Amino acid sequence: ARCSAATAATAAAAGDLGEAQSAAQGPDLDGLFTVRLTNAHRSPSALGVHVDHADGETLFVERLAPGGLLERWNRTHPESAVEIGDRIVSVNGKSGDSVALINALGRSEELELVLRRPSSRFAAAASAAARA
């Protein structure tokens, strides 16, 4: 099952999409990290992310669209950039139901997303960072 919290290019052309907030840090030991965004339009499409919700519990990040809030977040917070393959596990404290997560993306102007990076990718990134 695929759901598009679709391309934000049109919304970007229409006006300000919101702001990425600070206080970011990379994934913790469990591969979890938090993204805080202001979604002024209260629209899931403004995020600029395409997700798969087939597992019924999380949102699997399939693609990031140019011009979306998550692309903006990634530019300003490289240490906690959202990547293809990450999973959104919580939106504003809601978790365990992918449909509820999708609905929560459009309900609030202030969004707190908790994402989980797959352990193999997290371990590789942590190893590379340790060598740097």
Side-chain angles (χ1 to χ4, degrees):
R2 292 203 162 118
C3 179
S4 172
T7 305
T10 306
D16 182 37
L17 290 176
E19 292 184 23
Q21 298 178 359
S22 59
Q25 59 186 31
D28 66 14
L29 294 175
D30 296 320
L32 296 173
F33 63 102
T34 301
V35 171
R36 290 180 182 85
L37 303 168
T38 299
N39 184 354
H41 295 287
R42 295 186 181 188
S43 168
S45 65
L47 295 176
V49 64
H50 293 263
V51 298
D52 183 317
H53 58 89
D55 75 354
E57 296 180 6
T58 66
L59 303 177
F60 178 80
V61 177
E62 290 188 323
R63 186 166 59 114
L64 296 170
L69 289 174
L70 287 174
E71 181 192 51
R72 188 179 304 170
W73 169 270
N74 286 352
R75 280 195 315 265
T76 58
H77 300 89
E79 71 286 352
S80 60
V82 176
E83 299 175 358
I84 293 168
D86 289 346
R87 289 190 178 273
I88 300 172
V89 298
S90 172
V91 178
N92 291 350
K94 295 185 181 357
S95 63
D97 179 353
S98 58
V99 173
L101 295 177
I102 291 168
N103 290 335
L105 290 174
R107 281 202 191 113
S108 298
E109 187 171 320
E110 300 300 321
L111 294 173
E112 181 177 273
L113 312 177
V114 177
L115 292 96
R116 183 177 62 233
R117 176 133 317 140
S119 58
S120 60
R121 290 181 41 232
F122 172 63
S127 176
R131 288 190 306 265

